[in-house]
Amino acid sequence: MALRGRRVVLGVAGGIAAYKAVELCRRLVDAGAWVSPVLTEDATRFIGALTFSALASEPARTSLFGGPEPIPHTRLGQSADLVIVAPATAKLLGKYAAGISDDLLSATLLATRAPVLVAPAMHTEMWEHAAVQENLATLRRRGVHVVDPESGRLAGGDVGEGRLADPSRIVAAAEALLSRGRDLAGVRVLVTAGGTREAIDPVRFVGNRSSGKMGYAVAEVASGRGAVVTLVSTQSRPVSESINVVAVESAEDMHREVLARFGDVDVVVMAAAVADFRPKVIAGEKLKKREGVPEVVLEPTPDILGALGESKGAQLLVGFAAETERLREHAADKLARKHLDLIVANDVSAADAGFEVDTNRAVLLDSSGAVEETPLLSKVALAGVILDQVAARLGLPPEGHP
Ligand code: CTP
């Protein structure tokens, strides 16, 4: 169902399993997808481009150069709803993980923002090699989806793990990915992002190290999955046009803008790092050095999430807990205290998780305790995990069942 009318780039790398990609191509076309095959040069040693051209929706491409389009990879990458690579060889996975784009398929993989599904196939020894497994872990962390190979007969009569997944599994995974793409259709989601700035005087403020990346990732992924997204943010990062951005600076601004919209949303994800304290007095003019060191007295800011928890109706509330010790205990306490449905706890003392980096590792808790513990993920991939939990709690159909 989900494949009907969708544009799928089918990448075929050079392995013996390339012949099975013919069957996959036919099944994708049968499911109603518009399939553009891209073969690597090595793939053409195993199977003819003409075979794919005869079955697919448009002629198979094999090269960055020499075709009618001057830059085929950007056109293919930008217009795709999904990119599938089957079989994905060790070489292809290595190039993709390293960001090398020396042929049409690897360049298309870097030029796309569509979801990517790879189905590896290779000999067992290669499949189990640390280099291959580490490349795959890198790709998974970046949000690439993997259909693991199966055990069975391999080239040369060997038997073991590394056989390309059956085409029916690859089609099912593609269906699941594309239908998940719309599982939040029409759900109104308010996301907050960034650290608030609490003014001392017209030029100085008390701030924190939040980059806003986590909130932006949640907003983008929710929007991509069909939600109507409002992003209340202290940052000015580029964002998709479909997202309604409300610019704020202080906790007070954020409190006002979020509460004003609370009655009109279904979900709030408070990813912002709201300052807990602000200067009690904001100087009207820039403080001058010659007047001596100022004494900045702090007072508490409004607890936005706490206020939402007090007044909530049917809305789903998701909070974050950035901790440096006793992660689960503090997060569970915040969940209860602020009447949240879900809390995303992360250890900000780790160098690869938390502020200013692109990755995060989190424990998701609800009132029953920990519901999910993630490995180190990109913030975009973690946003997907959080939104899966949100979708489940809203009673939306699980992924893969449009
Ligand atoms: N939060 C909020 N308003 C505040 C402070 C925090 O809405 N004034 C939200 C954050 O966006 C986050 C959650 O509350 O989703 C947890 O923030 P945190 O500051 O860690 O919680 P506190 O209750 O302030 O706990 P503590 O100071 O004990 O760590």
Side-chain angles (χ1 to χ4, degrees):
M1 275 276 283
L3 279 160
R4 183 158 307 138
R6 311 303 288 277
R7 302 188 76 99
V8 177
V9 170
L10 174 60
V12 183
I16 186 68
Y19 77 92
K20 292 189 189 163
V22 175
E23 173 66 9
L24 176 62
C25 179
R26 192 186 60 73
R27 290 200 193 195
L28 291 168
V29 171
D30 285 351
W34 178 271
V35 181
S36 313
V38 175
L39 279 67
T40 64
E41 200 187 318
D42 289 351
T44 62
R45 293 176 180 267
F46 291 92
I47 186 99
L50 191 61
T51 311
F52 286 92
S53 296
L55 288 171
S57 316
E58 49 182 79
R61 292 178 179 75
T62 55
S63 173
L64 266 169
F65 310 105
E69 302 151 307
I71 40 172
H73 59 296
T74 50
R75 214 268 300 152
L76 281 169
Q78 286 166 357
S79 62
D81 293 309
L82 174 67
V83 178
I84 302 176
V85 185
T89 54
K91 174 173 156 184
L92 184 282
L93 294 170
K95 286 205 301 191
Y96 188 18
I100 294 169
S101 58
D102 63 352
D103 63 9
L104 181 55
L105 180 55
S106 51
T108 303
L109 285 167
L110 296 193
T112 194
R113 290 190 176 162
V116 175
L117 187 65
V118 297
M122 63 200 78
H123 250 72
T124 311
E125 294 82 352
M126 294 173 77
W127 169 246
E128 289 176 352
H129 197 283
V132 172
Q133 290 303 320
E134 282 171 25
N135 285 333
L136 264 176
T138 299
L139 293 172
R140 281 186 211 268
R141 202 162 59 235
R142 293 179 189 154
V144 171
H145 303 268
V146 181
V147 185
D148 281 330
E150 299 171 357
S151 274
R153 265 190 55 200
L154 303 167
D158 290 344
V159 176
E161 203 177 346
R163 199 174 135 103
L164 182 71
D166 190 81
S168 62
R169 277 182 60 214
I170 302 173
V171 173
E175 286 272 2
L177 261 176
L178 287 172
S179 57
R180 187 173 76 169
R182 292 188 287 249
D183 68 347
L184 295 173
V187 177
R188 298 163 302 172
V189 180
L190 188 151
V191 184
T192 64
T196 63
R197 297 173 164 199
E198 310 300 331
I200 297 173
D201 69 12
V203 296
R204 302 181 178 94
F205 61 85
V206 180
N208 62 63
R209 292 175 57 200
S210 167
S211 61
K213 285 180 178 171
M214 193 63 238
Y216 275 71
V218 172
E220 287 288 0
V221 174
S223 172
R225 284 164 68 164
V228 179
V229 180
T230 303
L231 177 63
V232 179
S233 171
T234 62
Q235 311 282 312
S236 55
R237 293 171 166 276
V239 70
S240 294
E241 268 179 21
S242 55
I243 297 174
N244 171 31
V245 181
V246 180
V248 294
E249 201 171 292
S250 65
E252 185 73 47
D253 296 343
M254 190 174 277
H255 182 253
R256 185 184 63 245
E257 299 298 338
V258 170
L259 263 73
R261 289 166 176 79
F262 191 43
D264 299 323
V265 297
D266 305 304
V267 180
V268 176
V269 181
M270 275 296 294
V274 186
D276 288 323
F277 311 105
R278 66 182 170 206
K280 200 165 183 170
V281 179
I282 305 174
E285 306 293 336
K286 184 182 170 196
L287 294 171
K288 287 300 197 188
K289 216 164 29 199
R290 63 170 179 276
E291 284 154 18
V293 179
E295 193 159 299
V296 179
V297 179
L298 301 175
E299 65 174 8
T301 56
D303 184 337
I304 305 169
L305 204 43
L308 299 181
E310 292 292 327
S311 65
K312 85 169 184 157
Q315 296 97 334
L316 206 90
L317 280 188
V318 183
F320 278 73
E323 309 289 349
T324 54
E325 40 105 43
R326 306 221 303 271
L327 184 65
R328 290 181 187 219
E329 194 183 320
H330 285 310
D333 173 60
K334 278 174 197 174
L335 177 94
R337 200 159 29 87
K338 303 195 186 199
H339 308 289
L340 307 181
D341 298 283
L342 190 70
I343 193 154
V344 183
N346 67 312
D347 179 353
V348 285
S349 62
D352 52 7
F355 294 135
E356 290 169 339
V357 291
D358 288 319
T359 48
N360 214 340
R361 185 190 289 112
V363 184
L364 279 64
L365 301 99
D366 69 8
S367 56
S368 69
V371 289
E372 192 160 351
E373 187 166 354
T374 76
L376 189 68
L377 294 173
S378 69
K379 287 185 174 172
V380 170
L382 178 58
V385 172
I386 296 166
L387 291 167
D388 287 348
Q389 288 285 344
V390 166
R393 269 148 235 275
L394 290 172
L396 297 171
E399 57 186 272
H401 301 284

